[in-house]
Amino acid sequence: SMEKFSTMMRNLLKVLKPNGILYLEFPNYRFPFEPHTKMIVPPLSSKSLIKWLGKRRKILKEDKDAEYIDELNIISPGRAEQTFRSLALRFQNVYEEQKLPELLSLQRPLSDRYQFLSKPLSLLKCMHLDRVLLRMLKTIDLYPSVSYLITHEP
């Protein structure tokens, strides 16, 4: 997965203009939810485990339903940032800085796939623990999606 991600990034840099900006968004596989199958899974689950759980829960009915899982890049923010640094890229984690605080504030309704989080988040907000939760989630990279602004300066 890291190899595929590094190769993808190198290929993207070939077409990015000098000082160009790349917006990159992908699921955070440290978060215990696989968005393609809409299943709760252990963090950084292997592709074979995701397939097995999908079949067991009858979400993936046949082998052909699970074929796309082989193409996924199971990656976390830490691993992505390691790749960005190795390629000497400047990057900003937009999700962590902007979207995550907005998500925890519950100012807007959560998307359908994350509705299961609304009650626990509301409870934490009522207990005034939302800021503590935000710091904790940022520290351990535990949020549903990742969005980066990446700049390549030759």
Side-chain angles (χ1 to χ4, degrees):
S1 257
M2 279 299 290
E3 178 80 25
K4 285 172 75 174
F5 185 76
S6 295
T7 301
M8 178 198 71
M9 287 305 302
R10 281 192 292 280
N11 287 334
L12 286 170
L13 293 178
K14 289 177 186 176
V15 297
L16 188 64
K17 291 181 181 180
N19 299 313
I21 297 173
L22 171 67
Y23 178 80
L24 185 64
E25 186 167 356
F26 53 89
N28 179 1
Y29 283 97
R30 270 196 116 159
F31 192 71
F33 182 76
E34 205 296 310
H36 302 91
T37 58
K38 298 178 175 64
M39 291 187 308
I40 293 175
V41 296
L44 293 173
S45 293
S46 67
K47 295 173 186 181
S48 57
L49 179 60
I50 293 170
K51 285 182 191 179
W52 183 82
L53 289 170
K55 289 176 185 175
R56 183 113 173 117
R57 295 175 184 167
K58 298 190 178 13
I59 293 168
L60 304 171
K61 294 173 181 45
E62 299 176 25
D63 284 340
K64 67 180 175 113
D65 292 339
E67 287 176 1
Y68 72 93
I69 291 173
D70 290 327
E71 303 305 317
L72 298 178
N73 277 318
I74 308 292
I75 196 157
S76 66
R79 289 180 178 171
E81 291 174 13
Q82 180 182 354
T83 300
F84 302 154
R85 284 186 198 94
S86 74
L87 296 171
L89 299 173
R90 285 188 30 224
F91 59 91
Q92 175 188 4
N93 186 332
V94 179
Y95 197 94
E96 186 177 281
E97 295 175 20
Q98 296 172 7
K99 292 183 180 182
L100 184 59
E102 182 182 291
L103 174 87
L104 294 178
S105 72
L106 297 173
Q107 292 174 347
R108 287 196 256 167
L110 296 175
S111 66
D112 289 344
R113 66 180 172 191
Y114 299 120
Q115 276 301 311
F116 68 95
L117 293 173
S118 60
K119 286 184 182 179
L121 289 176
S122 295
L123 179 63
L124 289 168
K125 191 169 177 69
C126 289
M127 297 168 62
H128 303 286
L129 293 173
D130 49 330
R131 287 188 182 161
V132 173
L133 179 64
L134 177 61
R135 277 195 303 269
M136 183 184 76
L137 294 176
K138 283 182 175 184
T139 301
I140 60 175
D141 292 335
L142 194 62
Y143 37 89
S145 187
V146 185
S147 306
Y148 286 101
L149 285 177
I150 301 166
T151 308
H152 182 231
E153 298 171 353

